[in-house]
Amino acid sequence: MSIRHTLRAGLAGLALSLAGLGPTAEAHAEALQVRAGAPSRALQVPMNRAVVVESDVPFTELSIANPGIADISSLTDRTIYVLGKAPGRTTLTVLGENGRLITNVEVHVTPDIAEFKERLEQILPGEPIEVRTANDGIVMSGVVSSIGKLDRALELAQRYAPDRVSNLMSVGGTQQVMLKVRFSEMQRSVSKSLSASLGARGTAFGDNLGLAVGTNTLGNSTALGSALGGSLPSSSSANASTLFGFNAGGVEVGLLLEALESRGVVRTLAEPNLTALSGQEASFLAGGEYPVPVSQENGTATIEYKPFGVELTFVPRVVEGDLINLELKASVSSIDPSNGFTADGFTIDAFRRRETATTVEMRDGESFAIAGLLSDDFQDLNGQVPWLGDIPVLGALFRSAEYTRQQSELVIIITPHLVTPTRGETLAMPTDRVRPPSERELFLFGRVSADRAPQSGTAGEIARQDFSGSYGYVLD
């Protein structure tokens, strides 16, 4: 018999739930007891929820100061139904017989944060976020584990109280990022040239007829005279020159062979390090500023300064744990006089600049090659005297060949680190191990720095160590 009653009760409860009449579908209601002649406490009403006010004496008239904040209706002559419509404060007035005042009830309609707390716990489980109401807004406090979760919590709060959210939350863990950037550039150049010049000069018929013929370097009279006079042309820039000459009657013949080969390697390396707080922009410049005159409409000139050197600007954001989002702009520039120009009496140099701007995401200690450039320029030039340069074997005396190749390779690597402050005495400066010499050390022994090592701090500890023996790691 008891089993039958249990089944009937369960079926009845299921039917009520499906019909929307069960406990899950009940409106949230609280009762406030009002006594005539006694002060009433404030009535807290969640928005879009209802509260029941009960009076110990019958009332005849009800009024609400601001119907836009709360709506009222009477259920009986002793029961009042108060519905919250919009966040704010208003006053409920209850009157009895002959317009006698029974009580004034202050009604506070606040955002409904019960559902917000439930959604917050579902989306961000385990985060110690406290939610309170203040006037018509929401106040959020606590310590979250990452900036990403903080943003998601604020975005969710805006759904329930648009533009009325006060953020008192903070982010735990390390929120300072040190960015290490390495600029590495190699430039290689090779240039070769080989040319042969033939020149002849002579007179005939009692100096009444003269002849002067030259090719390549010996094509001008000054170079021709220098070569046939027994010296190399002064305008030659060759690394190796050989001059041959002979006389054939009244004609002087000269043969000049010039060879040039040059090689060059340029290495550029810069490693700027910069620390910034998560979400804050930091910039770095190691170089200088170059003055550039700028002409104005009234004919005058003003000076603008253009920065050059190693430049770095970045905005780090600690997304979650050790995951870091980096918005980065880096550049290396230098003055290039070879591409400058002169105008109005001013000589203005050009700039050689390599820069990159990107956004990447990586973890603490990981590295990214964010930019790379491989340039290979090749130039081959062959000049000759028309027709004569096409003669087999002898045509080499009327030709010149030049070969130039330039290669450049640039790589920019970034590495972020999560860092925390430390005590000042644990940090060493580049100048800690250098001491000015005494007069005796400078004038008697010619030393530009003293032999005294620092006795305190990290630099002193390192200076006192003996590295004369074997040290380091050995792998078999």
Side-chain angles (χ1 to χ4, degrees), residues 48-229:
N48 297 325
R49 298 294 179 95
V51 173
V52 175
V53 179
E54 295 180 350
S55 176
D56 62 340
V57 295
F59 57 83
T60 60
E61 186 178 351
L62 300 174
S63 65
I64 190 76
N66 189 346
I69 295 178
D71 194 8
I72 58 174
S73 62
S74 59
L75 303 179
T76 65
D77 59 351
R78 295 174 182 263
T79 307
I80 309 168
Y81 192 79
V82 182
L83 175 65
K85 298 174 64 178
R89 294 189 177 190
T90 187
T91 302
L92 169 64
T93 303
V94 183
L95 301 177
E97 295 180 354
N98 302 322
R100 180 176 54 88
L101 177 66
I102 298 178
T103 187
N104 282 326
V105 180
E106 186 176 358
V107 179
H108 295 180
V109 179
T110 60
D112 183 13
I113 61 174
E115 182 183 0
F116 172 56
K117 288 182 177 180
E118 294 176 2
R119 297 294 179 265
L120 196 62
E121 181 63 28
Q122 293 172 357
I123 296 175
L124 302 175
E127 294 293 334
I129 301 177
E130 298 181 4
V131 182
R132 302 180 179 90
T133 59
N135 196 4
D136 60 344
I138 296 177
V139 178
M140 305 179 65
S141 61
V143 180
V144 295
S145 58
S146 67
I147 190 67
K149 293 183 178 180
L150 185 145
D151 293 337
R152 287 195 290 271
L154 292 178
E155 184 179 356
L156 180 62
Q158 291 290 338
R159 297 283 185 178
Y160 290 87
D163 301 326
R164 299 189 307 276
V165 179
S166 296
N167 177 25
L168 301 181
M169 295 182 292
S170 60
V171 181
T174 303
Q175 296 298 311
Q176 296 183 118
V177 180
M178 184 189 74
L179 186 64
K180 179 180 180 182
V181 182
R182 287 178 288 171
F183 298 86
S184 180
E185 183 177 17
M186 287 293 298
Q187 299 179 24
R188 295 175 292 271
S189 61
V190 177
S191 178
K192 298 180 181 180
S193 65
L194 178 63
S195 64
S197 302
L198 181 63
R201 184 181 62 182
T203 58
F205 303 104
D207 297 336
N208 292 326
L209 179 62
L211 175 65
V213 178
T215 63
N216 294 336
T217 302
L218 300 182
N220 60 78
S221 59
T222 303
L224 181 62
S226 300
L228 298 181

Side-chain angles (χ1 to χ4, degrees), residues 268-334:
T268 302
L269 180 64
E271 295 189 11
N273 296 340
L274 190 60
T275 302
L277 188 65
S278 176
Q280 301 297 317
E281 180 179 311
S283 60
F284 176 92
L285 171 62
E289 292 186 339
Y290 184 78
V292 177
V294 178
S295 179
Q296 303 297 322
E297 294 181 357
N298 57 6
T300 61
T302 59
I303 299 298
E304 290 186 2
Y305 289 88
K306 302 294 183 180
F308 68 92
V310 179
E311 298 178 71
L312 173 63
T313 302
F314 79 107
V315 179
R317 294 181 178 89
V318 181
V319 180
E320 185 174 359
D322 61 347
L323 185 63
I324 305 170
N325 179 280
L326 289 174
E327 185 179 342
L328 173 73
K329 183 177 182 180
S331 65
V332 177
S333 58
S334 59

Side-chain angles (χ1 to χ4, degrees), residues 180-447:
K180 179 180 180 182
V181 182
R182 287 178 288 171
F183 298 86
S184 180
E185 183 177 17
M186 287 293 298
Q187 299 179 24
R188 295 175 292 271
S189 61
V190 177
S191 178
K192 298 180 181 180
S193 65
L194 178 63
S195 64
S197 302
L198 181 63
R201 184 181 62 182
T203 58
F205 303 104
D207 297 336
N208 292 326
L209 179 62
L211 175 65
V213 178
T215 63
N216 294 336
T217 302
L218 300 182
N220 60 78
S221 59
T222 303
L224 181 62
S226 300
L228 298 181
S231 62
L232 296 177
S234 58
S235 61
S236 175
S237 60
N239 288 350
S241 301
T242 304
L243 178 64
F244 300 95
F246 62 91
N247 296 333
V251 178
E252 296 178 85
V253 179
L255 177 62
L256 177 64
L257 299 178
E258 297 176 292
L260 171 65
E261 181 176 2
S262 62
R263 300 174 182 266
V265 176
V266 178
R267 176 178 179 265
T268 302
L269 180 64
E271 295 189 11
N273 296 340
L274 190 60
T275 302
L277 188 65
S278 176
Q280 301 297 317
E281 180 179 311
S283 60
F284 176 92
L285 171 62
E289 292 186 339
Y290 184 78
V292 177
V294 178
S295 179
Q296 303 297 322
E297 294 181 357
N298 57 6
T300 61
T302 59
I303 299 298
E304 290 186 2
Y305 289 88
K306 302 294 183 180
F308 68 92
V310 179
E311 298 178 71
L312 173 63
T313 302
F314 79 107
V315 179
R317 294 181 178 89
V318 181
V319 180
E320 185 174 359
D322 61 347
L323 185 63
I324 305 170
N325 179 280
L326 289 174
E327 185 179 342
L328 173 73
K329 183 177 182 180
S331 65
V332 177
S333 58
S334 59
I335 298 176
D336 186 9
S338 61
N339 292 325
F341 70 97
T342 301
D344 298 332
F346 292 99
T347 299
I348 303 175
D349 296 328
F351 286 86
R352 188 171 181 268
R353 185 178 181 89
R354 288 82 71 202
E355 67 177 343
T356 180
T358 184
T359 300
V360 293
E361 199 169 86
M362 65 188 76
R363 298 194 178 274
D364 178 22
E366 295 181 341
S367 296
F368 233 129
I370 62 169
L373 172 65
L374 180 61
S375 175
D376 192 351
D377 297 330
F378 174 80
Q379 183 178 0
D380 192 0
L381 178 63
N382 187 13
Q384 67 178 21
V385 178
W387 303 298
L388 297 180
D390 297 329
I391 300 175
V393 183
L394 294 178
L397 300 177
F398 303 94
R399 289 197 301 264
S400 64
E402 295 181 3
Y403 163 84
T404 302
R405 185 175 186 180
Q406 294 181 341
Q407 293 178 318
S408 177
E409 185 174 1
L410 171 66
V411 176
I412 301 178
I413 300 175
I414 61 171
T415 305
H417 295 280
L418 294 175
V419 295
T420 55
T422 185
R423 298 181 61 87
E425 56 268 18
T426 62
L427 300 177
M429 300 291 291
T431 56
D432 288 344
R433 302 187 64 181
V434 179
R435 293 291 184 269
S438 63
E439 294 182 357
R440 176 175 173 271
E441 292 171 330
L442 177 62
F443 295 108
L444 188 59
F445 298 102
R447 295 171 180 168

